[in-house]
Amino acid sequence: MHMDPEIDLHSLRIVRAIAEHGSISGAARALGYSQPAISQHLQRAESRIGMPLVQRVGRASQLTEAGEALARHAVQIGSAVEAAAGELAGLAGLEHGRVRLAAFPTASSTLVPGLLGALRAAHPGLAVSYVEAEPPEALSLLRDGLVDLAITFAYPGDRADPHRDENLEVVELFADPVAVVLPRSHAEADSEAVELTALADERWIAGCPLCRGHLLAACEAVGVDPDIGLETDNSTAVLHLVGEGLGVALLPRLALRTAAVPETVVVRPTAPTSDRAVRIVGRVGGRRVPAIGATLAIAERRWAGFAAVAPEAAVV
């Protein structure tokens, strides 16, 4: 049977909203329409397409296989529409447009303020929003079309690296060295660089899931099985836990740039060295949207040759 279904943008927005909010009523609230108006539009769309998009399951409604297919395509089509709108905005000299940014927590106090300030100074007409999220969540928001750019990081050899996606454009910004954090009373505190093998019998304090994975991988590479006794993704908390002699830890230098290192703590390079890559990520083709392209250009210029090393006063 030959089919040539007629699909309009409004129908795509509706099925995408149903997928995101879980119900017709939720989609109606999100889109600013009444529930009957959404239901009537769905009925007309189903009549044109020739198959149902929504089905009743008890008292709830859920997308059919056809509805789910449209919802998947709606993200890419919505991005293409935004790209077209963005290019038109670019013709007006970037006086309008928006950029939605996500970044990991450490970047909130170290990277994001300067980037947003530079973006406002260069293009005051742009509307910018920001949400904090660890790299896997930030990249999920990006894939779902809920943000335009994500500042993320990745460790070398990460088997579950979420950046491996042909639909993403990954821009390397700078290398962020990882340091070992020790109590000042520790036997290795005066070493120029600390071998992880020298910490084989220590109790460890682990961070976020990606940082915990890096700790395990780095130790495994030198034959150490780390005893992880405490876990927190708060770098200030890590420093104070170490200062109380409750363990040792690995921390990226970027996390130390705004942290007050207690006098009872020393920070030393690791041996072998270990850097994480800090990146800014967008969807392939997104750079053509002037607002997104301008943000990427500012980020690339701002962090060219950037050194993520904490001030000397904080690492002695």
Side-chain angles (χ1 to χ4, degrees), residues 129-195:
S129 62
Y130 172 63
V131 61
E132 187 175 275
E134 293 287 359
E137 291 74 27
L139 293 175
S140 179
L141 292 173
L142 181 62
R143 290 187 182 95
D144 290 342
L146 301 178
V147 299
D148 303 303
L149 294 168
I151 298 176
T152 65
F153 63 82
Y155 287 101
D158 182 1
R159 297 170 186 169
D161 185 355
H163 297 84
R164 296 189 185 118
D165 187 330
E166 62 183 10
N167 296 312
L168 298 180
E169 179 189 0
V170 180
V171 178
E172 303 287 341
L173 294 178
F174 58 88
D176 184 13
V178 176
V180 63
V181 183
L182 304 169
R184 186 169 290 278
S185 59
H186 196 279
E188 295 291 327
D190 293 330
S191 301
E192 290 187 7
V194 177
E195 299 273 354

Side-chain angles (χ1 to χ4, degrees), residues 20-268:
E20 290 178 355
H21 299 280
S23 66
I24 293 176
S25 59
R29 286 192 297 271
L31 296 173
Y33 292 94
S34 67
Q35 183 171 336
I38 293 293
S39 297
Q40 290 171 13
H41 186 92
L42 281 172
Q43 290 173 3
R44 291 193 296 271
E46 289 173 338
S47 177
R48 292 195 305 271
I49 292 170
M51 62 184 74
L53 298 174
V54 177
Q55 62 186 356
R56 301 287 299 182
V57 179
R59 296 184 177 182
S61 298
Q62 69 179 31
L63 292 177
T64 63
E65 186 176 0
E68 290 177 350
L70 285 186
R72 287 194 302 272
H73 288 289
V75 174
Q76 295 178 339
I77 294 172
S79 296
V81 172
E82 288 181 5
E87 289 187 18
L88 293 177
L91 296 176
L94 278 174
E95 294 176 0
H96 304 287
R98 76 174 176 181
V99 176
R100 299 165 298 169
L101 180 69
F104 57 95
T106 302
S108 290
S109 59
T110 55
L111 305 179
V112 172
L115 174 61
L116 297 190
L119 191 59
R120 172 169 288 185
H123 307 291
L126 292 183
V128 182
S129 62
Y130 172 63
V131 61
E132 187 175 275
E134 293 287 359
E137 291 74 27
L139 293 175
S140 179
L141 292 173
L142 181 62
R143 290 187 182 95
D144 290 342
L146 301 178
V147 299
D148 303 303
L149 294 168
I151 298 176
T152 65
F153 63 82
Y155 287 101
D158 182 1
R159 297 170 186 169
D161 185 355
H163 297 84
R164 296 189 185 118
D165 187 330
E166 62 183 10
N167 296 312
L168 298 180
E169 179 189 0
V170 180
V171 178
E172 303 287 341
L173 294 178
F174 58 88
D176 184 13
V178 176
V180 63
V181 183
L182 304 169
R184 186 169 290 278
S185 59
H186 196 279
E188 295 291 327
D190 293 330
S191 301
E192 290 187 7
V194 177
E195 299 273 354
L196 293 182
T197 51
L199 305 176
D201 297 327
E202 297 293 338
R203 242 182 143 217
W204 285 86
I205 303 166
C208 72
L210 285 178
C211 297
R212 186 182 193 276
H214 171 253
L215 168 62
L216 293 172
C219 288
E220 180 184 0
V222 294
V224 172
D225 183 15
D227 174 17
I228 298 175
L230 301 169
E231 295 188 46
T232 174
D233 57 5
N234 184 319
S235 56
T236 299
V238 170
L239 290 168
H240 285 277
L241 290 169
V242 171
E244 292 295 329
L246 299 174
V248 299
L250 295 179
L251 279 180
R253 292 287 189 177
L254 191 64
L256 295 165
R257 288 181 68 86
T258 57
V261 179
E263 293 182 357
T264 54
V265 170
V266 295
V267 180
R268 296 287 180 260

